Amino acid sequence: MRTQRRLRVGVLSTLAAVVLLVLPAFFGIRAISSDPVFASLDKLSVPGWAAQDVEDQASNSRWCFLDCRFRERMAVSEKPFAETAKAYTGALTAAGWKQWKVADCPETAIDKEEGSYTCWRRDELTLDLYVSLPGCAVEQVTLAEGTEDAAPGECDGSTVSIKVQNTVMDQRGKADTNPGLVGVQPDAVLPTDDPLLDPTPEAS
């Protein structure tokens, strides 16, 4: 009886340790390793053809130690950039993002025949969406410039680039709080006709 009782106590202690220590640690590590911004991008209601071969990259700190985190997602779409951009625009709007029209969006002009570039804001984040011609189209242009007889091959789809950063790190639309030296105030010049400037006559 004592052996069975000790065995039961040991089993219950092990189960309690798993529930109280192991499981919280497991879920905590998973929460730290998963990025909530990428998770929200995964939930965008874009069709499957618009989110092929997704690749995510991130740099800096999630908790804004020194620099806030910068996130970038690259994806391939099976349809042209105009249709793909429309799909992402609708998905971002439905998810609560607001289109942001600000200077330097984009930093350099984008040919409307080659892509679509829009900026968005939501909560403490800003997002840049660039949908452009596929990589194969760029390669064909390069080959055509080098060889006159190069014939264009089949090249469909488009490339999707999404960049997300914290608003505090995004300087677009913000006034310059440290403009530097804007001029030097000249020294005051005393008037030349001031009688106080005449020398005091010496006593004779």
Side-chain angles (χ1 to χ4, degrees):
M1 293 293 292
R2 292 181 179 178
T3 302
Q4 292 179 355
R5 186 177 299 173
R6 291 177 180 174
L7 181 61
R8 291 177 182 176
V9 172
V11 171
L12 293 175
S13 300
T14 302
L15 292 176
V18 170
V19 173
L20 297 176
L21 300 177
V22 178
L23 290 180
F26 170 76
F27 288 112
I29 294 174
R30 189 175 70 172
I32 293 175
S33 61
S34 64
D35 191 302
V37 174
F38 287 133
S40 66
L41 294 179
D42 291 336
K43 295 179 181 179
L44 290 177
S45 57
V46 294
W49 52 260
Q52 301 289 323
D53 301 330
V54 175
E55 294 183 5
D56 293 334
Q57 293 183 354
S59 59
N60 302 331
S61 170
R62 278 180 56 184
W63 295 275
C64 290
F65 294 146
L66 299 180
D67 290 316
C68 293
R69 197 163 204 185
F70 181 84
R71 304 163 176 91
E72 184 173 9
R73 166 168 291 191
M74 299 294 296
V76 175
S77 172
E78 298 176 353
K79 296 190 178 182
F81 74 84
E83 189 172 353
T84 302
K86 183 178 180 181
Y88 274 91
T89 297
L92 289 171
T93 302
W97 290 87
K98 302 295 183 182
Q99 194 162 353
W100 184 33
K101 298 189 178 188
V102 65
D104 296 331
C105 176
E107 293 184 1
T108 57
I110 302 296
D111 190 340
K112 294 183 178 180
E113 299 297 325
E114 297 181 357
S116 170
Y117 200 110
T118 53
C119 294
W120 303 76
R121 296 186 69 174
R122 191 188 72 176
D123 300 330
E124 77 282 3
L125 300 174
T126 64
L127 181 149
D128 288 31
L129 171 65
Y130 180 35
V131 186
S132 60
L133 296 174
C136 56
V138 179
E139 293 176 358
Q140 287 183 4
V141 172
T142 303
L143 293 175
E145 292 176 352
T147 307
E148 296 181 356
D149 299 333
E154 183 178 355
C155 183
D156 299 322
S158 56
T159 300
V160 180
S161 171
I162 299 176
K163 298 179 181 180
V164 183
Q165 59 181 321
N166 287 68
T167 304
V168 294
M169 299 298 295
D170 197 333
Q171 300 302 314
R172 292 174 296 182
K174 296 180 180 179
D176 189 359
T177 57
N178 187 21
L181 295 177
V182 295
V184 178
Q185 184 176 359
D187 295 334
V189 178
L190 296 176
T192 57
D193 57 349
D194 192 339
L196 296 177
L197 297 178
D198 295 337
T200 303
E202 298 180 358
S204 57

